[in-house]
Every structure is written in C-alpha cells, then in structure tokens.
Amino acid sequence: MSAESAQTNAVESPDLIRLSGVRARGRHGVFPAERRDGQWFTVDAVLEVSTRAAGRSDRLDDTVDYGVAAELINARITGEPVDLIERLAELIAGDLLALSGVQAVEVTVHKPQAPITVAFSDVTLTIRRQL
C-alpha cells in the first residue's frame, strides 16, 4: 500500500476545542432554596470539529466560534431552571451540537454547592453526545 492510499484510508481524528470553567449563577435544583437563592455552576465543554479549513484560510467563519459556544453555555446556566444537572447537561449539549461544524460534544457540569450534608469539593456529571 502506498503512503498516499494509506492516508486516504486513514480515519481522521477530530480536532478538539476545549472550553474550561464557564461559570455563572443558576437556579437549578430540586429544592426550593436552590431555586430561590441560586448557586454557582461551572461547565467544561469539548467540541469535536474539523479545523482544517480554518488552518488553511485563517478565517473565523471556517471554524466554530468558541465565544458563541461560551455564550450558549452561559445562557443555559443563567436561564430557565431545571431540576437536574442531567437535564442541564443535555440542553447544553444540544445547543453546542446545533453549531455548524460540531460533530460531537462532551459536556461536564460542576455543581460545587450541591446540597449534600457531608464534606465534599464538587459534584460533576459528564455526558458525550454526537450527531
């Protein structure tokens, strides 16, 4: 097999855009105090994309604008409350998958102020979704 045909047959790995620590106050949770008082949520997201075209053109419209992705995450954290971080993660994943060029996402929701009665540093949920 020639080097050219090996390249043609090789599966291309996706490029990854990582957003770490998008932080905002939200009112998500099942308890009345969580809805009333709110709490801090942090989201990390990994977007699987191809950056080949942008790497050649040096044009923002040939890639995924991570500023837009961060704004979508922030809007979900600060927006309409949901009971579970599972639902919040699912909504964020759907928003990010709707961005042109995103093939798959991994979303981690951090809830460090979760109403737990023992000492802890964080509660996280990570989901992966793809088109």
Side-chain angles (χ1 to χ4, degrees):
M1 179 183 289
S2 71
E4 184 178 315
S5 63
Q7 272 187 330
T8 303
N9 292 332
V11 174
E12 186 176 312
S13 296
D15 302 320
L16 304 175
I17 295 175
R18 293 183 191 276
L19 284 165
S20 299
V22 178
R23 186 172 181 253
R25 283 191 71 81
R27 297 183 180 280
H28 310 289
V30 296
F31 298 112
E34 293 178 291
R35 295 290 181 104
R36 181 188 67 238
D37 302 335
Q39 59 191 292
W40 289 102
F41 292 84
T42 302
V43 172
D44 305 322
V46 179
L47 287 65
E48 292 185 13
V49 301
S50 174
T51 62
R52 240 178 237 283
R56 287 190 294 268
S57 72
D58 201 25
R59 294 173 38 92
L60 180 58
D61 50 342
D62 284 336
T63 190
V64 175
D65 185 338
Y66 50 78
V68 170
E71 289 170 9
L72 290 171
I73 294 167
N74 185 74
R76 282 296 180 185
I77 296 172
T78 61
E80 187 67 31
V82 297
D83 288 344
L84 303 176
I85 60 174
E86 290 84 348
R87 178 69 177 149
L88 181 60
E90 197 70 41
L91 291 169
I92 291 169
D95 291 344
L96 297 175
L97 281 171
L99 293 172
S100 179
V102 175
Q103 303 157 4
V105 296
E106 182 179 282
V107 174
T108 301
V109 175
H110 299 256
K111 189 175 179 179
Q113 296 173 309
I116 296 175
T117 60
V118 298
F120 74 103
S121 61
D122 200 3
V123 173
T124 66
L125 167 74
T126 300
I127 66 170
R128 184 176 189 288
R129 301 292 182 265
Q130 65 186 49
L131 293 177

